Amino acid sequence: MQSPSKLCVASGSAQPAASGLQCWADLPDGPLHSILALSGSFRDLLAFAATCRSWRTAFSSYPSKSTFCAKFPPLLIQFNARVKAPDLPSNNGRHELRTCKVIDPSNKNVALRCQIPQEIYQKMHFAGTSYGELICCLGGHCLIVDVFSGAEVSPPCLPFSGKFAGEFYYSGTLTAPLTSPNSHLLVSTETSLFDWPVGSDSWSELQLSDARIEQIVEFNGQFIAMDDSYKIYSLQLSPQIGLQEITTEWVGDLSPSSYSKPWLVVCGDMLLMVTCFSTMCPGSSSLVCIPHHLDMSTNPHKWVEVNQLDNWALFVGGDVRSRPFSCLRPEQWGGRSKWLYYASRHSFIVHGVGDERDPSAGPDIEYERRWSRKLQPLWVYPSMFYSDGQ
């Protein structure tokens, strides 16, 4: 996109001065918002916002930036990725450095950058991602870092009672964008779920008996938490933090296990539990990704198998705490419906979901889900897509 100085109307132009428009930078928000609505990629949006101050302001005032999350796929972030750097001294004949790498599935040839300081993702312990923010902790100190701008927010130190054995964080999530007035940061440890109202000076603590909270998602206006035994709970923040178990039944033979470690994914008006299994047949094996949706019309609620995912694609990562996403009509950016996109060290792997089978995915592919202190490849949308509070 050209700079505003090159797009200005020449001073000798016959255009009437009364119009008040001397260059593209003077365009009012209405036409600029129309241009934004026609954007076809992340690169278009970033170029628009970087053109000049008035265009950046128009982007900030765009009434529904969160709709871009449905229009574009999330971006893949790879940490400690090797990239070519011919100006560096040779290392065994290779000129490389390790850095964060960003991949746009809609255009893998476009170079994008994130701004996470290296010491954060190399030294701190990963807790989760939420609304374009990376959540890391170390020694009870948490840090919220904007993946693309590098802006940091430091909550108060977690109120650990005694020594925190092993220092491991099972999940970290925001209940709303940082700019929202009622945003909370939730961090789960071995024995507790901590709640920090953003901007306050203290945490509240909910002690857990036999559950470790692994995922928290917002679905139909309420927060749903899942523990390491794949039980789900309704989460309340007011008047104090609390969990209420939701009784469910599993319909089908392939129930989730500690080996399969399912993903909890919000997909339109469905809450999905997505599990990948390796099935063995005489002389061969195959990988099957099966989603179940929560049927809330029954009591108890039932997890019912979904054979056809229709116009949706799913995006998941290898770390239990990395946030999964869904995207409607991925064909509009060159993707494919009924596919699962798995974040890997090299790029991403795709596989059919439900009855959809992908012949390009070999039978030996394994989708690992694990906890790791080091950051694994993950999917994320920029925080600027959530600044309208939706």
Side-chain angles (χ1 to χ4, degrees):
M1 186 171 290
Q2 299 181 62
S3 66
S5 60
K6 294 181 180 180
L7 293 172
C8 290
V9 178
S11 58
S13 170
Q15 295 292 328
S19 67
L21 293 178
Q22 296 301 313
C23 62
W24 285 97
D26 293 331
L27 280 174
D29 285 354
L32 291 176
H33 288 172
S34 297
I35 295 172
L36 271 174
L38 298 175
S39 298
S41 68
F42 281 108
R43 188 180 187 182
D44 291 347
L45 294 174
L46 294 174
F48 182 99
T51 298
C52 62
R53 182 177 298 177
S54 62
W55 285 40
R56 175 72 178 179
T57 301
F59 178 86
S60 299
S61 64
Y62 190 70
S64 54
K65 291 188 288 296
S66 58
T67 58
F68 293 127
C69 295
K71 187 176 181 180
F72 305 132
L75 299 173
L76 173 61
I77 311 296
Q78 296 172 312
F79 302 92
N80 287 316
R82 290 190 180 96
V83 296
K84 294 181 180 180
D87 295 334
L88 290 179
S90 173
N91 180 15
N92 296 326
R94 295 178 299 182
H95 301 267
E96 296 177 336
L97 59 82
R98 287 185 176 269
T99 185
C100 287
K101 186 177 180 181
V102 183
I103 298 176
D104 181 356
S106 65
N107 191 345
K108 293 196 287 186
N109 295 322
V110 173
L112 299 172
R113 294 183 180 180
C114 60
Q115 301 293 330
I116 305 173
Q118 195 173 50
E119 60 271 17
I120 291 177
Y121 63 80
Q122 288 187 342
K123 296 180 180 179
M124 298 192 75
H125 297 170
F126 177 58
T129 53
S130 193
Y131 294 102
E133 308 283 349
L134 179 69
I135 302 165
C136 293
C137 304
L138 183 65
H141 294 277
C142 296
L143 193 63
I144 306 171
V145 186
D146 189 297
V147 173
F148 292 98
S149 74
E152 300 178 6
V153 173
S154 298
C157 187
L158 286 165
F160 293 139
S161 55
K163 184 179 179 180
F164 182 33
E167 186 171 339
F168 201 86
Y169 304 90
Y170 289 89
S171 68
T173 187
L174 292 164
T175 62
L178 281 173
T179 55
S180 298
N182 296 314
S183 180
H184 290 241
L185 172 64
L186 302 172
V187 174
S188 174
T189 65
E190 179 82 26
T191 59
S192 300
L193 179 62
F194 293 97
D195 171 29
W196 177 59
V198 173
S200 70
D201 57 5
S202 64
W203 297 78
S204 59
E205 179 181 3
L206 173 65
Q207 294 188 342
L208 306 173
S209 55
D210 58 353
R212 299 168 181 170
I213 300 301
E214 292 185 356
Q215 283 187 269
I216 299 174
V217 299
E218 186 176 1
F219 178 66
N220 285 347
Q222 65 175 325
F223 294 102
I224 305 293
M226 183 172 73
D227 68 14
D228 54 344
S229 297
Y230 320 115
K231 298 177 182 177
I232 62 171
Y233 306 81
S234 174
L235 170 68
Q236 297 85 35
L237 298 174
S238 179
Q240 59 185 12
I241 187 170
L243 292 172
Q244 179 66 46
E245 183 177 352
I246 300 173
T247 305
T248 63
E249 290 182 351
W250 191 265
V251 178
D253 299 327
L254 298 175
S255 59
S257 66
S258 58
Y259 173 75
S260 60
K261 291 190 180 299
W263 294 279
L264 198 63
V265 189
V266 175
C267 189
D269 60 355
M270 296 186 296
L271 179 62
L272 300 180
M273 189 180 290
V274 182
T275 313
C276 291
F277 298 91
S278 291
T279 59
M280 303 298 296
C281 300
S284 66
S285 65
S286 62
L287 186 73
V288 180
C289 297
I290 302 177
H292 286 72
H293 81 91
L294 186 62
D295 182 356
M296 305 182 76
S297 66
T298 64
N299 191 13
H301 301 338
K302 294 182 179 180
W303 289 107
V304 181
E305 184 174 337
V306 178
N307 294 320
Q308 290 290 333
L309 205 56
D310 296 330
N311 297 319
W312 293 91
L314 306 179
F315 295 81
V316 301
D319 195 292
V320 173
R321 296 154 297 186
S322 61
R323 182 177 177 179
F325 294 96
S326 61
C327 184
L328 182 62
R329 293 187 291 274
E331 285 79 9
Q332 63 186 345
W333 49 264
R336 180 170 165 180
S337 298
K338 307 173 189 176
W339 267 14
L340 179 141
Y341 290 74
Y342 176 82
S344 72
R345 289 181 301 165
H346 304 292
S347 180
F348 53 84
I349 305 170
V350 295
H351 196 282
V353 178
D355 288 344
E356 184 78 3
R357 297 291 181 263
D358 174 26
S360 68
D364 57 344
I365 290 177
E366 293 285 347
Y367 295 127
E368 287 188 296
R369 292 213 67 206
R370 61 186 183 275
W371 292 284
S372 176
R373 295 182 188 276
K374 299 296 183 181
L375 277 161
Q376 303 299 314
L378 52 83
W379 300 101
V380 67
Y381 282 105
S383 63
M384 66 182 188
F385 283 10
Y386 303 103
S387 58
D388 54 319
Q390 298 182 17

